[in-house]
Amino acid sequence: MDAREFLALLTADLDAEFRERRIAQLERYLRNIERTKAADAEREEAWMAKAREIVVIKERWEALGATWECRHDCGISVTTWKYHGDEILRWWSGTTLDEELTLVRAGDERLSALMKEAA
């Protein structure tokens, strides 16, 4: 029996011991569960938005002719993005999503500067 079912039974039973207190506790418990689910969904959506931004920027880089190579040294992956031989991004495995997004945005600025120089 889940908490909602127990709350329904308790609400229907007018003679249950400590009914009011138990109803209040169950309602608080269910509100906490809903708040936690909503916060998790919000966090996941924010995470996915950041990941999508990274993917869009890197796909644009590839369309512009940027290339990348990945090396594995001592258990760590290092990915380097280059545009016509000039490095625009170096990423290490273990970087958080927020750190990667900051690096990618900075790399995007470097790429824009390189393209302006070339023009």
Side-chain angles (χ1 to χ4, degrees):
M1 174 181 310
D2 77 348
R4 291 182 208 298
E5 291 173 358
F6 187 59
L7 179 60
L9 288 173
L10 196 55
T11 303
D13 185 1
L14 299 176
D15 297 326
E17 285 189 49
F18 308 108
R19 179 178 179 268
E20 303 306 320
R21 187 179 71 184
R22 289 169 31 188
I23 287 174
Q25 288 173 336
L26 282 169
E27 288 173 341
R28 189 171 46 252
Y29 172 74
L30 291 170
R31 278 193 309 272
N32 286 341
I33 289 174
E34 291 305 314
R35 271 196 306 271
T36 300
K37 284 181 185 177
D40 288 348
E42 188 175 317
R43 249 187 321 276
E44 183 175 345
E45 181 51 40
W47 186 88
M48 289 300 293
K50 291 173 185 178
R52 282 197 276 306
E53 181 180 349
I54 290 169
V55 167
V56 166
I57 291 171
K58 288 180 179 179
E59 285 175 347
R60 186 170 58 79
W61 290 356
E62 285 183 313
L64 291 170
T67 59
W68 60 275
E69 65 179 31
C70 187
R71 288 189 352 223
H72 302 282
D73 295 326
C74 301
I76 295 174
S77 274
V78 179
T79 301
T80 306
W81 281 85
K82 293 183 179 180
Y83 180 71
H84 298 296
D86 293 313
E87 185 176 311
I88 57 175
L89 171 74
R90 182 169 290 179
W91 172 88
W92 293 267
S93 61
T95 320
T96 67
L97 184 68
D98 290 326
E99 292 168 339
E100 182 177 1
L101 183 57
T102 301
L103 289 170
V104 168
R105 286 176 178 165
D108 201 38
E109 289 176 13
R110 274 194 292 283
L111 177 60
S112 295
L114 288 170
M115 292 175 67
K116 283 180 185 175
E117 288 175 12

